[in-house]
């Protein structure tokens, strides 16, 4: 099935000129799609064109089927895709606007030991229009339009590994930053990877000023292999080299994510080794207290130990914060809500 939000303005122009439509039509439709409009609501198009579009394209690739609002204002969304698959996303309110966390795949095949998204494996990749569709739907839901966006920042930190779906993610970045559409700058977009090294080199060459975030979770290869299977393919040294290359080419500092797991990666030895690894490198470390997923049996580090861990890094001059935990009362962790939904259905 063809999804209307998959197409760039240039591609739409080609399709519509094939329909015998005037030149301006493509931009008109592209803008309407980026406003989150359905074909039936594009009342400035003639009925025969609307009907033809309806027959040939999907106009709601990510339908919101559930919205949960946390006490802290965080919202969690369940989206139904055109083929019945379910994905989830989160919307966080900050002083400067809304940051939306989107999924890049249905499920995930990376197998990280602590993560709910990977429990059922990978179902399929999302297309660029499905990744974008999550933003278009939520922006519309909270009252945004193209002149006044509500969603200002996007993080690719929902279900899936963005670099396991590289081409669609790059197409998504081009679509979302198109000045005729929703026009969110790559500077306001963060891509989080478990550390697929060749793709980290590739993205450095794309000339797209995104924020690169790397999930490290341990400074020791042996330990990292136990919690992140991708570490068997790429050593920490290779990951850090790819980060250095990213910085050298883009001049953008790299972010590291480090989820603190009780007794696994939260010792002083780990903190010291992490300092040694990152010394002198322009980066920022986000410490995250593990969001415990019942199936994994892993627990979060307590507040006191998390503070101690942070202090060790700070004392070595490393830029570090403990990420505020948001939406814990609404299954905030990656993949938890979708699992709950699928469990209920079975
Ligand atoms: N696949 C990508 C992006 C998705 S996960 C990646 O690995 O980076 C986004 C971040 O959340 C990653 O750092 C991931 O390791 C972390 N994460 C996943 N499940 C978590 C959980 N239950 N608690 C804390 N962090 C988690």
């Amino acid at each position: 099935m063809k999804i209307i939000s998959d197409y760039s303005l240039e591609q739409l122009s080609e399709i519509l000129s094939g329909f015998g439509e005037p030149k301006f039509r493509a931009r008109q439709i592209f803008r309407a799609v980026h406003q989150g409009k359905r074909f039936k609501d594009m009342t400035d198009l003639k009925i025969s064109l609307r009907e033809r579009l309806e027959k040939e394209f999907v106009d709601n690739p990510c339908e919101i089927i559930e919205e949960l609002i946390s006490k802290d204002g965080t919202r969690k969304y369940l989206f139904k895709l055109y083929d019945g698959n379910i994905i989830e996303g989160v919307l966080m309110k900050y002083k400067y606007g809304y940051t939306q966390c989107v999924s890049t795949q249905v499920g995930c095949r990376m197998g990280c030991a602590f993560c709910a998204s990977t429990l059922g494996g990978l179902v399929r990749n999302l297309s660029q229009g499905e990744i974008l569709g999550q933003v278009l739907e939520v922006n519309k839901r909270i009252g945004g339009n193209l002149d006044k966006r509500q969603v200002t920042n996007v993080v690719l930190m929902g279900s899936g590994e963005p670099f396991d779906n590289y081409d669609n993610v790059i197409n998504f970045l081009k679509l979302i930053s198109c000045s005729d559409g929703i026009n969110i700058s790559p500077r306001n977009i963060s891509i989080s990877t478990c550390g697929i090294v060749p793709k980290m080199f590739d993205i450095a060459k794309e000339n797209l000023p995104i924020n690169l975030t790397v999930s490290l979770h341990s400074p020791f290869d042996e330990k990292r292999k136990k919690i992140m299977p991708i570490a068997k393919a790429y050593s920490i040294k290779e990951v850090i080299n790819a980060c250095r290359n990213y910085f050298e080419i883009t001049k953008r500092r790299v972010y590291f994510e480090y989820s603190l797991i009780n007794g696994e990666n939260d010792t002083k030895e780990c903190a010291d080794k992490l300092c040694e690894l990152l010394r002198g490198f322009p980066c920022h470390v986000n410490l995250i207290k593990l969001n415990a997923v019942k199936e994994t049996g892993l627990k979060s580090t307590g507040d006191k130990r998390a503070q101690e861990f942070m202090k060790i890094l700070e004392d070595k001059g490393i830029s570090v914060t403990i990420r505020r935990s948001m939406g814990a009362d609404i299954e905030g962790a990656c993949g938890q809500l979708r699992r709950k939904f699928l469990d209920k259905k079975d």
Side-chain angles (χ1 to χ4, degrees):
M1 196 63 195
K2 291 188 284 186
I3 297 172
I4 196 74
S5 54
D6 273 341
Y7 295 92
S8 68
L9 181 53
E10 294 70 34
Q11 290 167 325
L12 272 188
S13 301
E14 239 167 74
I15 292 168
L16 286 154
S17 80
F19 287 6
E21 289 293 325
K23 233 178 151 27
F24 65 86
R25 199 68 82 202
R27 188 166 176 272
Q28 192 180 358
I29 294 173
F30 186 81
R31 283 183 63 83
V33 168
H34 278 232
Q35 305 257 26
K37 278 195 184 170
R38 307 281 180 258
F39 295 133
K40 68 174 174 30
D41 300 321
M42 298 183 195
T43 45
D44 46 359
L45 303 181
K46 57 182 185 287
I47 292 181
S48 59
L49 176 59
R50 270 188 265 161
E51 283 174 350
R52 180 161 188 188
L53 290 168
E54 220 143 52
K55 227 171 31 213
E56 296 189 23
F57 298 93
V58 171
D59 63 0
N60 61 343
C62 302
E63 189 192 339
I64 295 174
I65 56 164
E66 205 172 317
E67 182 186 45
L68 300 176
I69 305 182
S70 160
K71 287 192 276 276
D72 64 20
T74 304
R75 291 162 193 239
K76 188 108 197 192
Y77 292 95
L78 269 187
F79 302 94
K80 189 170 167 193
L81 307 180
Y82 70 88
D83 63 357
N85 270 305
I86 302 290
I87 54 169
E88 65 184 87
V90 188
L91 186 74
M92 293 153 288
K93 192 171 186 349
Y94 292 101
K95 275 188 256 58
Y96 48 81
Y98 284 97
T99 294
Q100 188 178 347
C101 175
V102 299
S103 292
T104 53
Q105 296 179 312
V106 182
C108 184
R109 60 180 182 142
M110 293 298 127
C112 297
F114 45 82
C115 181
S117 295
T118 201
L119 289 170
L122 175 68
V123 179
R124 70 169 175 85
N125 281 333
L126 296 183
S127 75
Q128 57 266 26
E130 291 175 311
I131 307 174
L132 176 69
Q134 298 166 61
V135 180
L136 302 180
E137 283 302 292
V138 168
N139 186 55
K140 181 176 69 173
R141 167 68 64 108
I142 59 173
N145 56 42
L146 296 192
D147 301 317
K148 191 171 182 330
R149 280 182 319 244
Q150 290 290 333
V151 177
T152 52
N153 295 64
V154 176
V155 296
L156 279 62
M157 292 185 187
S159 295
E161 165 52 43
F163 288 168
D164 192 34
N165 185 16
Y166 186 85
D167 292 344
N168 293 352
V169 164
I170 296 298
N171 287 335
F172 155 77
L173 291 172
K174 291 179 180 159
L175 282 175
I176 198 169
S177 57
C178 176
S179 58
D180 285 297
I182 189 163
N183 194 10
I184 298 178
S185 161
R187 288 174 197 285
N188 295 347
I189 298 179
S190 299
I191 302 186
S192 180
T193 178
C194 59
I196 301 185
V197 166
K199 302 295 181 201
M200 293 167 66
F201 278 97
D202 289 345
I203 192 109
K205 286 185 281 194
E206 298 281 356
N207 204 16
L208 289 164
I210 53 114
N211 305 301
L212 181 64
T213 301
V214 179
S215 301
L216 204 53
H217 305 328
S218 174
F220 297 110
D221 277 316
E222 284 317 305
K223 183 79 217 175
R224 196 162 181 267
K225 282 181 203 164
K226 290 212 177 93
I227 50 178
M228 302 179 73
I230 192 71
K232 294 178 190 151
Y234 308 106
S235 68
I236 293 171
K237 196 169 161 215
E238 288 171 299
V239 170
I240 301 290
N241 272 343
C243 292
R244 288 190 190 281
N245 173 73
Y246 187 80
F247 178 75
E248 273 156 29
I249 293 189
T250 64
K251 302 286 173 255
R252 299 178 70 75
R253 75 172 173 169
V254 174
Y255 294 77
F256 291 101
E257 301 197 273
Y258 196 106
S259 296
L260 291 164
I261 312 172
N262 188 36
E264 297 284 328
N265 63 356
D266 59 355
T267 58
K268 178 174 182 315
E269 193 195 1
C270 289
D272 288 339
K273 182 74 182 174
L274 188 59
C275 292
E276 191 186 310
L277 208 61
L278 303 182
R279 186 174 305 143
F281 181 54
C283 65
H284 179 84
V285 178
N286 270 316
L287 298 175
I288 307 160
K289 284 201 290 159
L290 187 80
N291 224 318
V293 172
K294 68 173 188 311
E295 289 91 334
T296 69
L298 298 168
K299 295 206 168 56
S300 172
T301 300
D303 278 331
K304 185 164 169 276
R305 191 180 270 273
Q307 292 291 341
E308 285 164 4
F309 197 96
M310 179 165 81
K311 176 98 176 28
I312 296 174
L313 271 65
E314 272 176 346
D315 287 349
K316 288 275 161 56
I318 292 173
S319 163
V320 54
T321 41
I322 298 180
R323 185 176 291 162
R324 205 152 41 102
S325 185
M326 296 170 99
D329 53 330
I330 52 165
E331 311 284 342
C334 201
Q336 276 182 314
L337 188 64
R338 169 171 171 263
R339 283 199 68 74
K340 203 164 157 191
F341 180 84
L342 297 179
D343 282 350
K344 255 197 309 210
K345 238 179 36 177
D346 292 343

